[in-house]
Every structure is written in C-alpha cells, then in structure tokens.
Amino acid sequence: MTFTPHGKHLIAGDWVAGDDTFASAPAFGPAHDYAVGRLTDVDRAAKAAEAAFWQFGYASRADRAAFLNAIADEIENRGAAITEIGTRETGLPAARLEGERGRTTGQLRLFADHIAKGNYLDRRFDAALPDRAPLPRPEMHMMQRPIGPVAVFGASNFPLAFSTAGGDTAAAFAAGCPVIVKGHSAHPGTGEIIAEAIHAAIKRCDMPAGVFSLIQGGDRAVGAALVTHPLIKAVGFTGSLAGGRALFDLCAARPEPIPFFGELGSVNPMFILGSAMAARGDDIAKGWAASLTMGAGQFCTNPGIAVVLEGDHADAFTKSAQAALSATAPQTMLTDGIAAAYQSGQKRIAATQGVRDILTTTCDQREATPYLYQTTVQNWLDNETLTEEVFGPLGLIVVAQSPDEMRAMAQSLQGQLTCTLHLDDADTTVARTLLPILERKAGRVLANGFPTGVEVSDTMVHGGPYPASTNFGATSVGTLSIRRFLRPVCYQNMPAALLPADI
Ligand code: NAP
C-alpha cells in the first residue's frame, strides 16, 4: 500500500497548507514537500487546544478511554501504509516498525485501562473536625487534575512509539490534556498519517477538534514559539541534549515558567563484577554486542560503556566483544545528520588521549558499523569528553584496577537513564557498595540484563537525573508518566454539588 503525503499541518480539524515548504530526506524513495510551520499556526493550534480543554479536560474517564482505544484502532487500520512510509523515511526495517506500532497501540490501550481504574487520581480525604480546638478543621478532598494544553516533541529514533501518537501524547490525552505535536523533520509523512488516525478518532468519538494538532517543522522557530506560547502548560520532549536544553531554557525563561519534561541522552554504563566475568564473560560480551548494535545503536538506552576489572577474564571479554561486533553488518542510520554525528563522535573518542582502538570499521555515509575502544578508569576520570553519548553502535571498555576504582567511576557519572550490574552470588559484597551509588545516578538499575528494550508498564522509570532527563521526578514511559500532565488540587469545604464527579 503506497501512502502519498499531502504535506499539510493538521490544525484543530483542518488540513492547512503553508506559504513555504521543506523537502523530506527519506532513507530511500521519493522526497515529499511539507508545509513549514508558522507562528500563526502555533497560535491557532494553541487557542483551539485551550478552547478544547474546557470539554476534553472535563470529559468522563470512560469517554477519554474510548478515545484512546479509538486512536489505537485507527492506527491499526492504517498499519500497512504506516509501515510503508515509515520504512522509507527512517530506513528502519519493516519488522521493527511493525513491532513499534504494536507498542504504540499497546501504550494507548494501557492508558485507557489505567484511567478507567482511577488510581492515578490519587484521591485523598480529610474529614471535617468541627470540634477540634483551638481551630476546627474543614472537610478537604484532594485529587489530580489535568494541567491544560501540552506540546509534544517526538524523537527521530522511535517514529511511532515516541512521536505523534507516542507515549507523551497518550499520557497527556489520558490525563485530559489537549496536545499539539511539533512534527519531527526526520519522519513528517509518518507523522501525517498518524495525525490522520487521531483526526479520525476525534470524529468517531465526537471530541473537540482542538484536542489535537500536528504542526510540521522545517523551521526551529516553530518549536520555540510552541514552548513559549502562553497557553501551553507543559512540554514533553524526547531527543538530543542540545535540543532539549535549548527548549528547556526557553520554558524556564517564560514570564510564566512551565515544566519541560525532556528525555535526553545517556551512556548507560554496565559494571561487570569479577565473579560474573570469570563465569560467563563470553556470554556477557555477546549479549552486549547485540544490545549495542540493536537499531544501529540508535537507542537512548544503548549501553555504550562496559566497566570491567583488569585481568585475563577482562582481556577475554574484550576479544569476545570484538569478535561479536566485527560480525555485524552495516545498518542504515535514521538521518544524514545522525550518521554524521556518529562519525564525529567516533573520531572524538578515537582522538582522546589514552584510548586504545580495539575495533575500527568503515561504511557508507548514512550507514553505521560498530567501533570498540578501551581505556582506563583513571583516563575516563581525566577526560570529560569520554562521558558524552555517541548515538550509534560504539562501545568503550573502561578497565578498573579494583572495585574501589569501579566505585570512583560510578561516583563520577552524570545522570543516566540506566545503570547495569552483571553479578554472581560471590559479587554481592561489591555490588552492595555500588548499588547505592548507581541508584543515585539512574532512573532504572538492572542486574544481569541489557537496558535496550524498555517495558511499558506500571513500574517502568524511563528518566533520571540531568542530563538523562530535565526532570528527575518523572518518567516518559509507563503509566507513571501521566503524572507529568496532572497537578493536585485541594477542595476545601466545597459543597458536594461542586466537587468533581471523580471525587
Ligand atoms: P533532536 O535533534 O533534539 O530533535 C528532537 C525534536 O526537537 C525535533 O522535533 C527537533 O526539530 C526539535 N529541536 C531540536 N533542537 C531544537 C531547537 N534548538 N529549537 C527548536 N526545536 C528543536 O533529537 P533526535 O535527533 O530526534 O533524537 C536523537 C537524540 O535523542 C539522541 O541523542 C538520543 O539519545 C536522544 N533520545 C533520547 C531518548 C530518551 O528517551 N531519553 C529517546 C530517543 C532518543 P527538527 O524536526 O527541526 O529537527
């Protein structure tokens, strides 16, 4: 099935062309022209979102759940066309996009179930104490309320699950917030067809048209205008540290600052303890190579760093990782820009003093092949440049002389999305001294596994201290992510007739 995009924005139910266009840069197949987002588009979408809030924010949970399920249905109805345009735009294999589509519809349905249960409202009650001395206490109720229109910026590497109808949009809709998506310039056609699905669900469920708008990019000013628009009350963002930080700073500098929930980058270190390394270093090396190269390394949870204890077992691990990585075929990267950034990141690591080449490879411009380097903890501590994420299949083995050095390295880490321990029973004593450090650094701490593959569930935390995210109290994956778009309101001494129906 071939999908031919028309290239328009969807603003409050209308498909809107622009004065200027930009051309997409697909991995293969024809480019298409898309309307460049304008400040007038942002203003119109924001005003429509605010108007829609007065209906949508007060719709019943059952109606919002039906809307979420209808979006999932409409996405499934367009499944083949979504895969077709998505593979062309991103170069991701069809099977990967089909899996991601299932994750996207699964997220929408999970949120429908989640709000139906109502626990997320965190309803609390203090009974009146009229006879309390010296002062009586009034009756008080508390519950979570939606915050208003939310702006969403998706990432290039998950064109479905972290984009137009991805986790941020699903969580905001579930909370009762209208959404304006700033389309990602790496997959504008995929964004358009998903917007069509949401548009169809809005009509099916009789929701207000302003509940959703998609404004294509093509000009960074449109993103800046969106986060600084006075009617926008929060921003969900998944992407680079540089882009996230720029938009975060704009949110903080507004006359009314608003929360910016940015999920940014991470090097996701793994600490391989002595006994585990001796028992199964070869298996860990092969598992690491598979995790590192998955999706051409274009995952925010890509485990870029392996910290090992020096010795023969670590040497054998290095050889196994080198062998496993050198068997990896080149993979197409998501955009020309990401491919260029990967090459420059690789050169930065290779040029750092005290870094040894273990595996170097070559490939075409928009492709990626793995690289493997080795250094010492001391050198890591001396070179901040080694701590920065390289978005692609590049691994760095950091050799520690002792568990003390491993702890020093752990202490030096910036905020991470994940940290991993590989351990056996005999490693428990060392692990007990590392875990308290790692849990201060990361949103998710794993044992004996690999961090790629983020479960969408009640317990998931996909976030972490800066720069993994801009808001360490939040997650962008899992049901807890709804919290970002809610705020508690206390109703004191309020007549029952005025209390929200959910109380
Ligand atoms: P990106 O270049 O930061 O782009 C993300 C979005 O922000 C795009 O819509 C982009 O607009 C916009 N944007 C970026 N800088 C901007 C600025 N200064 N002003 C206004 N808008 C701006 O990120 P990406 O290429 O999509 O994703 C790759 C990066 O994301 C990697 O570093 C990766 O680690 C990280 N990532 C993190 C997670 C996570 O969950 N933490 C998940 C996936 C990826 P354009 O469309 O115009 O480019």
Side-chain angles (χ1 to χ4, degrees):
M1 183 190 246
T2 302
F3 171 71
T4 306
H6 50 60
K8 294 176 183 166
H9 313 293
L10 174 63
I11 302 182
D14 295 330
W15 293 103
V16 176
D19 307 324
D20 298 319
T21 58
F22 69 96
S24 61
F28 60 88
H32 293 281
D33 287 338
Y34 293 87
V36 173
R38 299 162 300 194
L39 306 195
T40 46
D41 298 321
V42 170
D43 189 53
R44 188 176 157 201
K47 285 178 175 150
E50 173 64 15
F53 179 73
W54 296 103
Q55 179 184 335
F56 188 65
Y58 295 83
S60 71
R61 286 181 281 128
D63 285 353
R64 288 207 309 281
F67 176 50
L68 289 162
N69 284 325
I71 298 171
D73 293 344
E74 295 292 345
I75 289 174
E76 275 159 10
N77 290 345
R78 293 162 177 77
I82 290 169
T83 301
E84 194 259 339
I85 182 88
T87 48
R88 270 197 276 143
E89 289 192 320
T90 63
L92 291 169
R96 155 73 204 276
L97 279 175
E98 278 156 15
E100 199 183 318
R101 190 174 79 238
R103 180 190 172 102
T104 309
T105 53
Q107 267 172 181
L108 289 157
R109 295 201 160 100
L110 179 72
F111 270 114
D113 288 348
H114 187 62
I115 58 172
K117 288 184 200 131
N119 296 344
Y120 79 99
L121 294 167
D122 193 11
R123 287 168 281 206
R124 298 169 188 216
F125 174 60
D126 286 316
L129 300 174
D131 301 327
R132 190 179 68 175
L135 289 172
R137 182 172 80 181
E139 180 183 90
M140 290 184 288
H141 293 269
M142 190 282 281
M143 68 173 249
Q144 302 284 341
R145 299 294 295 141
I147 56 173
V150 168
V152 169
F153 292 69
S156 53
N157 59 346
F158 282 88
L160 302 175
F162 278 88
S163 194
T164 312
D168 286 348
T169 299
F173 280 159
C177 298
V179 170
I180 302 173
V181 169
K182 158 40 192 82
H184 200 298
S185 51
H187 53 259
T190 312
E192 180 182 307
I193 192 169
I194 296 288
E196 264 187 26
I198 299 174
H199 184 43
I202 288 172
K203 288 202 269 191
R204 238 173 83 182
C205 298
D206 205 17
M207 287 294 173
V211 84
F212 176 79
S213 291
L214 166 72
I215 303 178
Q216 298 286 7
D219 178 357
R220 291 251 156 119
V222 73
L226 191 53
V227 303
T228 52
H229 196 288
L231 293 173
I232 296 297
K233 294 299 171 201
V235 182
F237 174 95
T238 306
S240 65
L241 176 57
R245 184 63 202 237
L247 294 169
F248 170 85
D249 288 345
L250 286 176
C251 287
R254 289 168 43 128
E256 179 201 358
I258 54 168
F260 179 86
F261 298 101
E263 299 301 329
L264 312 175
S266 189
V267 293
N268 304 296
M270 305 190 311
F271 291 79
I272 308 170
L273 304 189
S275 186
M277 181 68 100
R280 51 199 164 80
D282 186 52
D283 287 347
I284 297 171
K286 286 179 183 146
W288 182 40
S291 184
L292 193 61
T293 55
M294 189 185 287
Q298 300 164 118
F299 286 129
C300 43
T301 50
N302 180 18
I305 310 280
V307 191
V308 302
L309 286 164
E310 81 174 342
D312 293 346
H313 295 304
D315 294 345
F317 168 86
T318 301
K319 284 203 184 82
S320 299
Q322 180 199 35
L325 287 170
S326 47
T328 308
Q331 295 180 70
T332 307
M333 297 205 93
L334 290 156
T335 66
D336 293 335
I338 286 176
Y342 178 56
Q343 292 304 328
S344 77
Q346 172 269 316
K347 289 191 178 77
R348 163 170 59 80
I349 302 289
T352 307
Q353 212 180 0
V355 169
R356 192 158 75 85
D357 290 356
I358 304 292
L359 175 69
T360 56
T361 51
T362 51
C363 59
D364 291 343
Q365 184 54 38
R366 188 148 164 185
E367 291 189 324
T369 40
Y371 291 85
L372 184 61
Y373 297 97
Q374 194 185 64
T375 194
T376 61
V377 166
Q378 195 51 55
N379 200 46
W380 163 280
L381 295 174
D382 292 344
N383 286 286
E384 208 181 325
T385 177
L386 296 177
T387 65
E388 290 163 23
E389 177 192 33
V390 179
F391 197 55
L394 182 146
L396 177 64
I397 298 173
V398 183
V399 182
Q401 287 177 358
S402 63
D404 276 347
E405 267 205 357
M406 273 192 167
R407 281 187 285 275
M409 160 130 188
Q411 286 281 17
S412 79
L413 290 170
Q414 309 183 80
Q416 302 290 328
L417 292 167
T418 72
C419 286
T420 301
L421 283 168
H422 286 277
L423 76 163
D424 278 354
D425 287 349
D427 297 312
T428 303
T429 306
V430 176
R432 277 209 182 106
T433 64
L434 267 170
L435 184 58
I437 305 172
L438 299 183
E439 71 180 16
R440 289 191 69 189
K441 302 288 181 179
R444 180 162 57 111
V445 193
L446 301 77
N448 295 330
F450 297 95
T452 39
V454 181
E455 192 68 29
V456 183
S457 64
D458 288 337
T459 55
M460 179 48 64
V461 175
H462 189 63
Y466 187 83
S469 80
T470 54
N471 191 314
F472 59 73
T475 171
S476 66
V477 177
T479 52
L480 193 61
S481 66
I482 195 174
R483 279 280 177 93
R484 297 172 300 165
F485 307 125
L486 297 166
R487 65 183 185 85
V489 176
C490 172
Y491 299 89
Q492 182 171 327
N493 205 31
M494 195 62 60
L498 289 182
L499 285 171
D502 275 327
I503 284 180

